[in-house]
Amino acid sequence: MGTSITALEPGDQTVVDAAYRIGAVTEADAPDLPPYCRRRFEALVRHPMPGLVVHWALARLDGVPAGWLRLELPQLDNTDNAAAELVVHPAYRRRGIGRALHEHGVRLLRDAGRKRVVGEVASALPGGPARDPAGAAFAAAVGACPALAAVRRRLDTTALDRAALDTLLAGARSAATGYRTVRWQQATPEEYVDDVAYLEGRLMTDAPLGDLEWEQERVDADRIRGTERALDLRGSRRYHVAAVDEGSGRLVAWSMLSLGASADWHAWQQITIVDPAHRGHRLGLLTKIENLGHVLAYEPALRAIDTFNAAENGHMIRINEQLGFQPVDASTEWQLAL
């Protein structure tokens, strides 16, 4: 029968289940991360983020589900670009499944008028845990180029240096005269949603992008609300601390942590961003430390927080290392011109 590729239909539970099992068995690629979350996966299939058209494809080898491809096509900005995730069951690797899915995706993207596609690959750091090098080798073999290098760092919350954190927090508060912090969980309060949209939209301008060709995203309050609804459907629990400029009343810095539905012991440090006009007051450090205390007050089982930093983002790396984050592995965004 050989290899066949068909669209993954969100309404076909049998096919969705098969794709989930393929993703779940790849946990061995990064065993320190939480188990593959079924709720998150099914929401990815059925409830994409606002502003995206998503195509899924399932590959079968001799009739047996063996791998899948997810393509995200932005509709509101970056309309020349796409993002891809390609997963092959370990038992069927190095048998042409990945290549067949890749070729299928390239045809679809070219038909849609896209000019480039980006995908993420994990790799080992010197002295760190082993990671399968096949992903990077595959990306290079299909002609992609490494565009942005990052490192995943982990904070062990059971071994926090509380005295050092208190000292850092006191210094940050002293530097943040004229600002106050606010905190919330889940959806952004209505009075701050426009400011959060502005900061979220700045991310692709302010964050290091290396050689990635990715433009600033168009984010407004409606897009923030749509994203929040999609995250709720994934079972995400989100904790926020932000800094408000007392003079203007505007929210000018923001940090978020999130937990998935499948593990109460693990969180991701998501966005931390400061409006350029308000930098130099340690607002990033202030909001990150206060949010750490915020999440730990509500999530007593939490013991590990992971975050990604671009290798060239020295400022944020220094902040994270001050908090106690330690390198785990590397991540590279590979970009392919179509």
Side-chain angles (χ1 to χ4, degrees), residues 12-319:
D12 189 334
Q13 189 62 46
T14 300
V15 173
V16 172
D17 288 345
Y20 168 77
R21 287 192 293 270
I22 293 169
V25 80
T26 62
E27 289 173 19
D29 292 340
D32 65 312
L33 290 175
Y36 207 66
C37 181
R38 176 178 283 275
R39 181 173 175 180
R40 177 180 179 275
F41 180 79
E42 294 202 10
L44 279 173
V45 173
R46 298 191 172 105
H47 304 286
M49 290 292 179
L52 293 177
V53 167
V54 181
H55 297 280
W56 290 79
L58 182 71
R60 294 178 174 85
L61 181 63
D62 297 332
V64 178
W68 52 258
L69 173 69
R70 177 168 62 97
L71 296 172
E72 296 182 344
L73 282 67
Q75 303 295 301
L76 305 177
D77 43 56
N78 288 286
T79 53
D80 287 337
N81 295 343
E85 183 180 10
L86 193 158
V87 176
V88 178
H89 191 295
Y92 300 102
R93 291 175 183 172
R94 299 171 178 84
R95 298 175 67 177
I97 302 299
R99 177 72 70 165
L101 284 167
H102 166 75
E103 292 174 353
H104 172 84
V106 166
R107 288 193 296 271
L108 190 153
L109 292 176
R110 285 175 174 162
D111 288 346
R114 301 290 156 145
K115 297 180 180 178
R116 63 192 69 87
V117 60
V118 175
E120 180 183 339
V121 177
S123 58
L125 290 173
R131 296 289 182 258
D132 190 340
F138 177 83
V142 300
C145 297
L148 180 64
V151 172
R152 175 166 67 101
R153 289 175 170 81
R154 171 164 291 187
L155 178 65
D156 179 356
T157 63
T158 69
L160 293 173
D161 186 335
R162 300 284 183 172
L165 285 174
D166 288 345
T167 299
L168 286 169
L169 181 56
R173 285 175 174 165
S174 177
T177 301
Y179 300 89
R180 59 182 171 86
T181 55
V182 293
R183 59 183 61 189
W184 68 89
Q185 297 176 27
Q186 300 305 93
T188 302
E190 189 62 31
E191 63 264 35
Y192 299 132
V193 68
D194 288 332
D195 293 334
V196 164
Y198 166 76
L199 291 173
E200 178 82 35
R202 284 204 62 89
L203 188 60
M204 289 300 178
T205 300
D206 295 350
L209 291 180
D211 293 324
L212 280 180
E213 296 187 49
W214 208 272
E215 66 190 29
Q216 183 174 358
E217 295 178 347
R218 299 174 185 172
V219 183
D220 57 16
D222 287 343
R223 192 165 178 179
I224 291 293
R225 294 304 189 208
T227 297
E228 291 173 339
R229 288 191 293 271
L231 290 172
D232 287 343
L233 290 166
R234 287 153 173 72
S236 166
R237 302 195 302 282
R238 303 179 300 285
Y239 295 84
H240 311 253
V241 167
V244 175
D245 173 31
E246 292 183 317
S248 67
R250 287 190 53 240
L251 187 150
V252 297
W254 168 46
S255 187
M256 178 176 69
L257 286 157
S258 68
L259 288 82
S262 66
D264 59 3
W265 59 268
H266 179 270
W268 289 100
Q269 171 64 64
Q270 304 284 4
I271 189 171
T272 298
I273 190 167
V274 179
D275 187 327
H278 296 269
R279 291 177 184 164
H281 301 280
R282 302 190 199 173
L283 298 179
L285 180 63
L286 174 65
T287 55
K288 284 174 79 82
I289 296 177
E290 288 203 4
N291 207 24
L292 178 58
H294 185 202
V295 71
L296 289 173
Y298 289 92
E299 302 286 350
L302 181 61
R303 62 179 189 269
I305 301 174
D306 283 325
T307 192
F308 286 98
N309 298 117
E312 59 193 85
N313 191 354
H315 176 68
M316 193 57 67
I317 290 170
R318 284 191 296 274
I319 290 177

